[in-house]
Amino acid sequence: MDLDRPRAEELAAKCGSDVRVFENEQELIRHNDIDAVVITTPDETHAGMVMECLQKEKPIFCEKPLATTVEDARGIVEAEVELGRKVVQVGFMRRYDPQHLDVKSAIDSGDIGHPVLFKGAHRNAGALPGTSSESILVNSAIHDLDSARWMLGQEIEEVYVHGTNTGAAADGEVLDLQMIQLKLGGGCLANIEVYVNAGYGYEVDLEIVGDAGTIHVAPANTPQLRKQRYAGHSVEGDWLERFPAAYVLEMRRWTEDLHSGKLTGPDAWDGYISLLAVATCISSLQSGSKEPFKRPQRPELYE
Ligand code: ISE
């Protein structure tokens, strides 16, 4: 289903003769032939559709963010707990990126000792129309907040966010470059740049500092070129170019998990906690002070 029906029909035709195009999302979610639903619509539509699928007890893959308000995300967690089994997965695709997975396994193997610092940079070539200081946190920085929790295996305890309006911003008010500092459990820190008007391309950079070494995500998907007093590599234009392998592996694993009956990816709790961290970042950006992260009790379903 797509609001642009001809586009949906064009894609359906490429997928085979028995692929049906639905008029709207309710019709799709309720249809008896539909076993599971993938939601990749605009952010503010996610929560309503997830709730609808939960009522029908249909497994859901929902792009991040799980919702755009903490209340809606909490409602999803409560509905899933009520159902008594996990059916929601959230699209934090970096968890499937081979480069990020290499870093994660180096941390988990103890190669760099105890990890103490997450140094991230997340740059978009240009902000989407309608971008606000808050939507940068809800739509983009949420990846980094999830990545820090996942990579370090620690929960966020405190956040401190600064922002600035750069000359590249179309709107003179929006804080299009933000610096997020986190204090996490186990003595870990994080320092994350999120810049949505970097101009030159799309990049996600990450170095983890441990007490016995550091590990950096491989700098590029493309080879290093050295020529005529130049050394460098090309940079992708957006997340689809940067993370093609991750998106495929994420979808493949999700469908395998559906067949085996046990979801293993980032769940509704991860979606809720990352959104709560976003809300705390927004408070810090607005107050100009560091803010404690008040983490709710994790229900048994997500242990
Ligand atoms: C963007 O809006 C996304 O949805 C992508 O997942 C992310 O990688 C990108 O940096 C965001 O700004």
Side-chain angles (χ1 to χ4, degrees), residues 16-286:
S17 55
D18 58 345
V19 177
R20 172 169 175 178
V21 175
F22 290 92
E23 204 49 54
N24 56 51
E25 69 272 14
Q26 284 88 7
E27 194 196 338
L28 180 149
I29 293 168
R30 289 175 199 160
H31 199 281
N32 282 341
D33 289 349
I34 299 293
D35 300 322
V37 180
V38 175
I39 301 172
T40 60
T41 51
D43 294 357
E44 51 296 338
T45 63
H46 291 179
M49 292 191 208
V50 172
M51 282 304 254
E52 181 109 26
C53 294
L54 269 166
Q55 277 154 16
K56 294 269 166 272
E57 302 189 14
K58 292 194 178 176
I60 306 124
F61 175 92
C62 180
E63 257 308 332
K64 47 46 62 178
L66 178 59
T68 48
T69 68
V70 166
E71 294 68 34
D72 282 351
R74 191 188 303 123
I76 291 170
V77 162
E78 286 168 358
E80 198 175 39
V81 167
E82 177 78 27
L83 181 67
R85 61 192 164 88
K86 289 211 247 176
V87 288
V88 179
Q89 178 162 328
V90 181
F92 288 121
M93 80 297 189
R94 288 187 201 173
R95 295 193 187 204
Y96 297 85
D97 172 47
Q99 295 183 350
H100 279 74
L101 284 167
D102 283 348
V103 170
K104 174 81 173 139
S105 54
I107 298 171
D108 293 349
S109 71
D111 263 8
I112 59 163
H114 175 66
V116 283
L117 176 62
F118 176 106
K119 283 171 75 177
H122 177 177
R123 302 193 184 127
N124 281 209
L128 299 170
T131 293
S132 66
S133 307
E134 292 76 21
S135 73
I136 291 170
L137 288 157
V138 175
N139 184 268
S140 296
I142 197 160
H143 279 295
D144 307 286
L145 296 166
D146 178 68
S147 181
R149 290 180 63 235
W150 171 64
M151 278 285 176
L152 299 169
Q154 297 289 343
E155 290 296 350
I156 299 167
E157 294 181 347
E158 188 179 274
V159 316
Y160 195 13
V161 185
H162 291 283
T164 192
N165 178 257
T166 73
D171 166 341
E173 298 293 314
V174 68
L175 304 173
D176 60 331
L177 170 59
Q178 299 185 16
M179 288 303 305
I180 303 173
Q181 287 180 43
L182 306 176
K183 211 169 98 185
L184 297 102
C188 293
L189 300 174
N191 196 356
I192 303 160
E193 170 206 323
V194 183
Y195 183 24
V196 294
N197 284 311
Y200 68 86
Y202 178 85
E203 265 189 314
V204 173
D205 188 32
L206 173 62
E207 182 181 17
I208 302 286
V209 179
D211 56 15
T214 86
I215 181 123
H216 210 133
V217 290
N221 283 335
T222 50
Q224 285 274 335
L225 173 70
R226 284 185 151 72
K227 192 182 166 185
Q228 292 170 336
R229 298 164 58 91
Y230 163 91
H233 57 79
S234 64
V235 175
E236 289 85 14
D238 64 21
W239 50 95
L240 296 176
E241 286 178 17
R242 165 62 184 85
F243 290 107
Y247 286 117
V248 171
L249 293 168
E250 176 182 57
M251 231 353 94
R252 185 175 296 157
R253 184 65 198 266
W254 181 64
T255 46
E256 283 166 4
D257 286 352
L258 290 180
H259 286 290
S260 75
K262 192 175 183 315
L263 293 181
T264 55
D267 57 23
W269 184 252
D270 295 311
Y272 170 46
I273 291 298
S274 56
L275 201 66
L276 206 52
V278 162
T280 314
C281 286
I282 293 175
S283 304
S284 173
L285 193 64
Q286 288 167 350

